[in-house]
Amino acid sequence: EEQETKSINIKENKEINELDDLILDDIPFGTFTPEICKEIESIKELTFLSLNNCEIESFDNFPKLPNLLKLEIGENNFPVEEL
């Protein structure tokens, strides 16, 4: 069975860089690759990020988000020790 691949491309919409909230729920990306970090970090005013059920295994290389106030990370695969 072929697995569907989902990608995150924030640059497709210039208005997205002005978002306050970003919801990426149910997009299975697993780890924070340099590409994913760069895309998320490009949203300078981001205050809310939802990463529920993204199959995140680790928060190594988590994007730097100085304005982030709320982060949702339910239903993922990372060890509790990483919190």
Side-chain angles (χ1 to χ4, degrees):
E1 181 179 313
E2 188 174 321
Q3 185 178 12
E4 180 182 346
T5 302
K6 295 182 182 181
S7 63
I8 301 169
N9 189 344
I10 291 172
K11 302 260 188 286
E12 288 178 2
N13 184 344
K14 292 183 182 183
E15 291 178 10
I16 205 163
N17 292 329
E18 299 170 10
L19 285 178
D20 294 329
D21 300 350
L22 180 61
I23 299 170
L24 299 175
D25 294 354
D26 304 313
I27 300 175
F29 57 88
T31 59
F32 293 97
T33 64
E35 295 80 18
I36 290 173
C37 286
K38 184 177 179 182
E39 294 288 336
I40 295 173
E41 287 175 349
S42 73
I43 307 173
K44 302 295 184 198
E45 302 303 317
L46 193 63
T47 58
F48 173 72
L49 177 60
S50 184
L51 300 170
N52 294 307
N53 196 33
C54 293
E55 299 180 12
I56 297 170
E57 298 170 358
S58 173
F59 282 91
D60 290 344
N61 304 315
F62 186 78
K64 291 173 180 54
L65 303 168
N67 295 313
L68 192 67
L69 299 173
K70 184 174 180 183
L71 173 65
E72 289 188 5
I73 53 173
E75 300 178 44
N76 281 289
N77 301 328
F78 61 89
V80 175
E81 296 82 30
E82 288 205 20
L83 292 180

